[in-house]
Amino acid sequence: MKPYIYITRKLPDEVLMPLQKHYVVNMWEQEEVPVPREILLGEAEKADALLTVLADTIDEGILTAGKNLKVVANLAVGFDNIDLKVANRQGIAVCNTPDVLTDTTADLTFALLMATARRIVEAAEFVKAGKWESWSPLLLAGQDIHHKTIGIVGMGKIGETVAKRAKGFDMNILYHNRSRKPEIEQKLGAMYVSFAELVEKADFIVCLTPLTPDTKHMFTRDVFKKMKSSAIFINAGRGPVVDEEALYEALVAEEIAGAGLDVFAKEPISADHPLLKLTNVVALPHIGSSSMETRVEMMRLCIDNIEVVLNRKEPKTLVNKEWKPVIKA
Ligand code: GLV
């Protein structure tokens, strides 16, 4: 019998074509509506492989639903939506999509920083609303980016690539990370500092740290209070790393100058969320890696990982390193 692959969002036909010959492929046919839990449970019961997205909660219920599940390939570099402990216990390989999205996500992160600092969204809306009546000296004046200090929290591959972009803007680069990165310090002139020092000194605080029990609500009201009143906070990592109420209060109290957010505590964020009422907040719908080229690469990597595991080999981008191929039905 051909192995069964279930895909939780509609993917383009050309990406799926190579799979059809050797596998039974079934897919949730909607691009924007998540697969309902009951359907996912039913599919997980039958599946040898799941191709999931970050909006799917892949918990114990899903991971133990069937006896045949061998691999979950998540279309994201982050994998906080998957219960790794249970996956390990069940002998299920969990794969993500690092590397292929690094430059694209760094581009978006830097674009968000620039859009927030230079009030680009506000300015574009101003023109389209017919409000531009004359040139004026301080019209929509924002903040400079060049020669300022960027503080990167989470110096993984994306952090390093954001630092490269910052170097091109003659920025002074601070970073905080679980471990020091001497090669990046040497190559880019980045300086390792404590989290406390980073939030106090940076003009742009860029959060790229993964979501773990240790990083949840790392950005509290106290942390925002320690930032410069001119500071701009950028989050392109995971929403729950930030206490959103604290961020809102800090913005309203003018303890910081603005925020650029690609991620939120609850996604999609509701249009009447208080943060979205503030003009100094630039909000995006979690599109860090969303270029056509990169998303297709990510899909191909997921498919490649699935095929490799179904052939009882080690996938390219395995998350649970302790996983070993096991014989299941
Ligand atoms: C996006 O947030 C990702 O983890 O790839």
Side-chain angles (χ1 to χ4, degrees):
M1 223 168 57
K2 286 183 182 178
Y4 184 82
I5 302 174
Y6 186 70
I7 301 174
T8 67
R9 280 309 154 91
K10 185 170 170 53
L11 303 186
D13 287 344
E14 65 271 23
V15 177
L16 298 178
M17 210 88 85
L19 282 176
Q20 314 282 2
K21 200 161 143 206
H22 302 292
Y23 305 96
V24 177
V25 182
N26 196 6
M27 180 167 72
W28 178 244
E29 288 288 342
Q30 303 202 42
E31 261 174 69
E32 285 172 23
V33 181
V35 57
R37 170 94 182 166
E38 282 316 301
I39 293 183
L40 182 53
L41 263 174
E43 294 293 343
E45 243 174 71
K46 298 182 279 186
D48 294 278
L50 292 176
L51 195 163
T52 57
V53 301
L54 53 82
D56 301 319
T57 302
I58 307 300
D59 57 11
E60 181 157 21
I62 303 289
L63 292 167
T64 56
K67 290 188 296 295
N68 296 340
L69 188 60
K70 299 166 188 75
V71 52
V72 176
N74 206 37
L75 192 74
V77 65
F79 44 83
D80 47 276
N81 58 314
I82 302 173
D83 190 330
L84 282 191
K85 253 199 208 141
V86 177
N88 278 332
R89 198 179 75 210
Q90 298 295 106
I92 297 168
V94 175
C95 306
N96 64 343
T97 60
D99 307 323
V100 293
L101 51 57
T102 300
D103 279 297
T104 303
T105 308
D107 285 349
L108 189 281
T109 306
F110 213 80
L112 186 53
L113 182 156
M114 294 184 76
T116 313
R118 297 299 306 271
R119 304 172 64 183
I120 288 174
V121 175
E122 215 185 322
E125 281 170 357
F126 178 86
V127 175
K128 285 195 174 174
K131 292 185 184 160
W132 187 22
E133 283 170 5
S134 73
W135 187 92
S136 77
L138 287 178
L139 178 63
L140 287 152
Q143 289 194 31
D144 275 336
I145 298 156
H146 63 87
H147 298 96
K148 293 276 185 78
T149 297
I150 187 171
I152 300 172
V153 180
M155 193 57 120
K157 289 174 189 159
I158 300 170
E160 176 180 352
T161 311
V162 169
K164 259 201 241 169
R165 280 138 183 73
K167 191 171 163 63
F169 278 72
D170 298 313
M171 295 179 93
N172 174 34
I173 305 164
L174 305 179
Y175 78 98
H176 182 73
N177 197 50
R178 267 178 314 181
S179 57
R180 262 183 94 155
K181 301 281 179 96
E183 13 25 285
I184 300 177
E185 293 176 22
Q186 238 180 15
K187 203 162 63 186
L188 299 173
M191 200 198 320
Y192 178 83
V193 290
S194 67
F195 181 59
E197 187 174 347
L198 184 146
V199 297
E200 268 173 39
K201 293 200 172 149
D203 298 301
F204 298 96
I205 295 98
V206 177
C207 173
L208 287 164
T209 190
L211 174 63
T212 67
D214 288 340
T215 62
K216 187 162 189 228
H217 280 198
M218 182 176 185
F219 287 90
T220 57
R221 184 76 199 276
D222 271 356
V223 169
F224 287 117
K225 271 190 205 287
K226 292 203 173 79
M227 293 180 188
K228 296 180 182 180
S229 58
S230 56
I232 287 180
F233 176 70
I234 304 296
N235 192 4
R238 284 290 181 272
V241 173
V242 178
D243 175 348
E244 265 176 9
E245 223 175 282
L247 171 61
Y248 175 77
E249 283 163 7
L251 285 161
V252 170
E254 297 180 12
E255 287 162 3
I256 65 170
L261 306 169
D262 186 40
V263 291
F264 299 90
K266 186 175 176 308
E267 297 179 3
I269 188 168
S270 130
D272 53 22
H273 192 289
L275 274 172
L276 303 188
K277 307 283 178 246
L278 304 177
T279 46
N280 52 353
V281 168
V282 175
L284 302 178
H286 203 150
I287 54 165
S289 61
S290 189
S291 70
M292 284 305 286
E293 299 96 319
T294 291
R295 284 285 162 89
V296 168
E297 279 292 298
M298 290 164 67
M299 292 168 197
R300 294 214 160 106
L301 179 54
C302 284
I303 286 170
D304 188 57
N305 280 327
I306 287 175
E307 288 204 86
V308 171
V309 176
L310 294 182
N311 286 302
R312 304 212 170 102
K313 299 214 183 73
E314 178 134 344
K316 257 194 214 152
T317 54
L318 182 68
V319 169
N320 46 346
K321 304 287 183 216
E322 47 284 87
W323 173 85
K324 289 274 170 297
V326 287
I327 313 275
K328 294 191 178 185

